[in-house]
Amino acid sequence: MAEAACKRSLEQDTDESMQDRKKPRAASRKKGFDDEIFQETEYYIRNVNGKTSTESTIVRDNDVIRNTVHRHEPPVTAEPIEIIEMNDEIVVINKPSSIPVHPCGRYRHNSIVFMLGRHFKLQNLHTIHRLDRLTSGILIFARTLGKAQELEKQIRDRQIEKQYVCRVEGEFPAEPIDCKEPIDVVSFKIGICRVSEKGLPYTGRMHQIRVHLQWLGHPIVNDPIYNHEAWGLKRGKAGQAEKDIDSIVQVLIQNHRQDDLITKQMYHAEKSAVQEENSTDVPSSSVDTYKNLDNVEKHQSSNIDSKVIQQNQAHENMCEPQTVTDVDCAECQFVYKDPTPEEMVLWLHASKYKGPDWEFNAKLPEWCSDEVELN
């Protein structure tokens, strides 16, 4: 629960305003509020001054609003966070793939900042740099303001050398390539960028390495965005695409939704069909798939010994359902698919960060060949 004082200018009640309050809910909607925002406001404001609020409740000066946050967080890997260095000034970790650095979007407790606080009692950390959610490797935090300012200055002055390792399509040239193409964000909704003359300078951009590799014709092999078929056969090499960027973005957004969830109605209908045919020749893998989807609606037991918080647990081994369902929550109307271990990993890893008088190295991930030689 959270409480906050909410102030609102008083308005003189008139017969006309009283009539307006009795109009249908859609008519009372403020100009500029779309359906989604209106529904969210209606859902979250539940209690004013200890009384259940209704559509006719007027919020006045010094009213206290109480609301309940009903949160759905996607699963992340259960791979432990490796501490590379920790002292009074800094914390350096080897970030596992699939975990965002800080709370964002649907992620909060399943973020590095929250996990460091929960598991290592590390509070009030200063974020020096970030890695994409699917990227693994070196991540540096400062524990004091002075150290944070020192490291940030080194970044601004280009005194820090960064080394990444990845697996890409094709055979990457042996000679050095200097790619300085500007990068523009074309969708903030799921985070999609591309090389564009309208873009900002190439350094420090979101998805910089991934976008430049796509531009060079060597996208990361398992990149769900920049190696997607929506870009065409050339996969966006040198800006070549078979569709306009808006169409590509729509395909990627739709694919993102379909991969992430299925409606409960579709789930139960398809599950019933499989169970009906199970007495004949349905492959065991199909049955296991729906057993896995059943498990999505249950909490996994706390002692599951697995690198990934995901499926592959037998239905009978699951604990009794402990989830809370809210009829007013749109997300409760969906069953989310558990991602596979492969979907939680991007073959991009920050292996080394080196400053004027310090250097940190992270061990290479399992997908990286032992034959890789790092300088």
Side-chain angles (χ1 to χ4, degrees):
M1 292 286 186
E3 298 190 4
C6 179
K7 293 185 178 181
R8 179 181 182 273
S9 59
L10 293 175
E11 297 180 354
Q12 183 177 2
D13 290 338
T14 63
D15 293 339
E16 182 179 353
S17 63
M18 291 297 293
Q19 292 297 323
D20 288 341
R21 291 179 204 143
K22 295 179 181 180
K23 290 180 180 180
R25 186 175 304 176
S28 65
R29 196 168 306 176
K30 296 287 186 180
K31 184 178 180 180
F33 279 66
D34 59 23
D35 290 341
E36 182 178 1
I37 295 177
F38 184 78
Q39 290 170 4
E40 287 181 358
T41 304
E42 179 190 30
Y43 169 67
Y44 282 114
I45 300 179
R46 289 303 187 89
N47 186 294
V48 178
N49 298 329
K51 298 180 180 180
T52 302
S53 60
T54 67
E55 64 183 39
S56 63
T57 300
I58 300 176
V59 181
R60 303 184 183 279
D61 282 352
N62 299 318
D63 280 351
V64 177
I65 297 176
R66 305 184 69 191
N67 69 293
T68 300
V69 177
H70 183 80
R71 188 180 301 279
H72 293 253
E73 287 204 41
V76 297
T77 178
E79 182 180 345
I81 298 174
E82 177 191 357
I83 301 293
I84 297 175
E85 176 73 22
M86 182 164 63
N87 54 44
D88 293 338
E89 292 187 314
I90 63 171
V91 175
V92 184
I93 69 169
N94 184 2
K95 182 185 98 64
S97 183
S98 82
I99 309 176
V101 175
H102 52 77
C104 58
R106 293 166 57 206
Y107 294 89
R108 185 171 178 82
H109 297 279
N110 288 345
S111 65
I112 292 294
V113 170
F114 267 62
M115 288 180 173
L116 289 176
R118 184 165 65 249
H119 299 306
F120 299 95
K121 309 302 181 185
L122 294 170
Q123 305 289 340
N124 303 317
L125 297 176
H126 300 267
T127 304
I128 304 303
H129 67 106
R130 293 174 174 83
L131 296 176
D132 292 343
R133 180 178 66 86
L134 293 177
T135 303
S136 58
I138 294 288
L139 188 60
I140 304 174
F141 296 93
R143 303 188 70 177
T144 65
L145 178 59
K147 192 62 176 180
Q149 294 172 339
E150 175 189 334
L151 293 173
E152 288 168 358
K153 185 178 186 303
Q154 292 178 4
I155 292 176
R156 289 195 304 271
D157 296 343
R158 308 286 179 83
Q159 295 180 307
I160 296 181
E161 174 189 338
K162 307 172 185 178
Q163 187 174 80
Y164 287 75
V165 60
C166 57
R167 292 180 65 178
V168 302
E169 297 281 4
E171 185 174 347
F172 200 84
E175 65 276 6
I177 296 179
D178 192 5
C179 186
K180 296 183 178 181
E181 301 295 333
I183 295 175
D184 185 30
V185 180
V186 295
S187 173
F188 287 97
K189 188 161 189 173
I190 61 173
I192 303 175
C193 303
R194 68 165 179 168
V195 167
S196 171
E197 295 179 354
K198 301 177 183 179
L200 297 173
Y202 66 94
T203 56
R205 300 299 96 196
M206 179 172 69
H207 298 175
Q208 176 185 335
I209 295 176
R210 297 163 64 183
V211 172
H212 280 168
L213 285 171
Q214 181 195 46
W215 173 266
L216 294 172
H218 298 281
I220 295 175
V221 174
N222 65 341
D223 196 319
I225 295 178
Y226 303 106
N227 198 18
H228 193 276
E229 60 185 11
W231 297 93
L233 295 177
K234 296 290 186 179
R235 293 296 192 268
K237 178 180 180 181
Q240 301 178 56
E242 298 174 2
K243 302 178 181 178
D244 61 89
I245 189 61
D246 291 334
S247 299
I248 293 174
V249 169
Q250 289 304 314
V251 170
L252 292 173
I253 290 177
Q254 185 63 29
N255 181 76
H256 175 77
R257 289 173 177 167
Q258 290 176 346
D259 286 348
D260 210 22
L261 54 84
I262 56 175
T263 63
K264 284 187 176 181
Q265 292 85 347
M266 181 184 299
Y267 156 58
H268 288 299
E270 293 184 0
K271 175 191 167 188
S272 297
V274 169
Q275 290 177 336
E276 184 177 342
E277 297 177 7
N278 190 31
S279 58
T280 55
D281 298 323
V282 176
S284 59
S285 59
S286 299
V287 178
D288 290 340
T289 297
Y290 286 94
K291 283 185 178 180
N292 171 49
L293 291 177
D294 267 338
N295 296 341
V296 177
E297 295 181 319
K298 295 176 179 288
H299 276 272
Q300 291 185 317
S301 58
S302 59
N303 62 349
I304 293 176
D305 183 16
S306 172
K307 284 189 175 182
V308 181
I309 303 176
Q310 42 98 32
Q311 73 276 35
N312 300 330
Q313 296 296 324
H315 180 78
E316 54 271 19
N317 291 336
M318 308 310 298
C319 60
E320 290 302 314
Q322 299 293 323
T323 55
V324 177
T325 301
D326 192 318
V327 295
D328 293 326
C329 174
E331 289 196 75
C332 281
Q333 308 309 311
F334 297 93
V335 175
Y336 285 84
K337 294 181 181 178
D338 278 338
T340 64
E342 292 75 19
E343 291 171 334
M344 286 188 171
V345 176
L346 179 69
W347 291 344
L348 176 63
H349 179 74
S351 60
K352 181 174 77 173
Y353 270 57
K354 181 179 180 181
D357 56 356
W358 53 267
E359 178 178 336
F360 301 110
N361 294 272
K363 66 179 182 181
L364 296 179
E366 294 180 359
W367 53 262
C368 187
S369 171
D370 295 334
E371 299 177 359
V372 174
E373 295 183 3
L374 301 179
N375 296 326

